[in-house]
Amino acid sequence: MDALSVIEKRLEHLNQLLGPLPTDEGQSENLTEAILSAASFLPSASTGHLSDGAARSAILESFKRKDELEAYLDPAFIEEKQDIKAKEMYINTIANDLAGTFETLQKIKTLEPTLGAEYFRNLPDVSDQLKAMNTTMAEQKQANELLEESLVIAMQRYGEIQAGIKDSLKGMTDRLDQLEERLAQKKKEDKDI
């Protein structure tokens, strides 16, 4: 039931984003009904047996954007993407500041003999520390890229798992239908006897 509740939440979220669907002859249709109605067109759209070319192109266009929709509707994806973006912005901001500070220090060191001031000679040498910090920042940036790649792989695996659950649910529904048919036949036979 967890898979169904997740799908239901995602559909409700999409309903909220899209707003009410346009009415057709005074009847309103929710998103679930619209998806089920569109699902009936999918087999004929994929084989090219639709008489309406506009309907076929609209369905094919929706197929092209399916991955984008799945990624957008995944509640965890948005939060993870925001976390990654925040970390990236922080790293990029700090890296630029460190690079600027390192360049300024190098300029000061080149101007030291010209200025001849004694306090320039007493400055501690932090270039090694700045280089180490730059290296650390580069490593963190690489780690974030690896994290982003692993998130994409995890999302793909999530899609595979979701497809497997849908198939399992369909199989269970088919078995329940068969059992109901057998039960109805058995009751009918019992009544006949």
Side-chain angles (χ1 to χ4, degrees):
M1 288 309 234
D2 291 333
L4 290 176
S5 63
V6 169
I7 292 171
E8 182 181 1
K9 286 179 186 177
R10 292 175 74 186
L11 288 174
E12 287 173 5
H13 181 70
L14 186 58
N15 264 333
Q16 290 173 357
L17 288 175
L18 296 176
L21 292 172
T23 59
D24 186 23
E25 300 174 2
Q27 293 181 343
S28 65
E29 184 178 38
N30 69 19
L31 181 64
T32 305
E33 292 169 348
I35 289 173
L36 290 174
S37 144
S40 66
F41 288 113
L42 294 180
S44 57
S46 62
T47 57
H49 289 91
L50 279 178
S51 60
D52 184 10
R56 182 175 191 267
S57 63
I59 291 173
L60 292 176
E61 183 65 30
S62 68
F63 269 124
K64 290 178 187 174
R65 298 195 65 194
K66 177 187 73 73
D67 293 334
E68 176 185 341
L69 179 64
E70 285 290 328
Y72 180 75
L73 289 178
D74 185 12
F77 175 75
I78 294 172
E79 294 171 5
E80 291 168 358
K81 187 163 183 129
Q82 288 173 346
D83 289 344
I84 289 172
K85 289 290 183 190
K87 288 176 183 176
E88 245 179 43
M89 288 174 54
Y90 176 73
I91 288 172
N92 288 338
T93 303
I94 297 298
N96 290 338
D97 290 344
L98 287 175
T101 305
F102 183 74
E103 289 176 10
T104 305
L105 179 63
Q106 293 300 328
K107 287 178 185 177
I108 290 173
K109 283 187 176 184
T110 58
L111 293 174
E112 178 188 358
T114 306
L115 297 174
E118 197 59 37
Y119 61 89
F120 280 116
R121 289 187 182 98
N122 295 332
L123 284 177
D125 186 19
V126 294
S127 59
D128 292 336
Q129 292 175 347
L130 287 174
K131 287 179 183 177
M133 290 175 80
N134 278 337
T135 304
T136 303
M137 289 299 175
E139 290 171 356
Q140 287 179 349
K141 187 174 182 179
Q142 186 178 14
N144 280 344
E145 289 173 358
L146 290 174
L147 176 64
E148 190 172 350
E149 285 179 25
S150 66
L151 286 174
V152 169
I153 291 170
M155 285 180 52
Q156 289 173 347
R157 179 66 182 135
Y158 170 77
E160 292 170 1
I161 291 171
Q162 187 177 18
I165 289 172
K166 286 179 184 178
D167 291 341
S168 296
L169 289 174
K170 184 180 181 326
M172 285 191 286
T173 303
D174 292 343
R175 287 185 63 203
L176 283 174
D177 289 343
Q178 290 172 357
L179 288 174
E180 285 175 359
E181 287 176 16
R182 282 190 216 159
L183 185 62
Q185 287 176 355
K186 180 130 180 137
K187 283 182 182 181
K188 188 176 179 181
E189 289 173 2
D190 289 345
K191 284 181 182 180
D192 290 343
I193 294 177

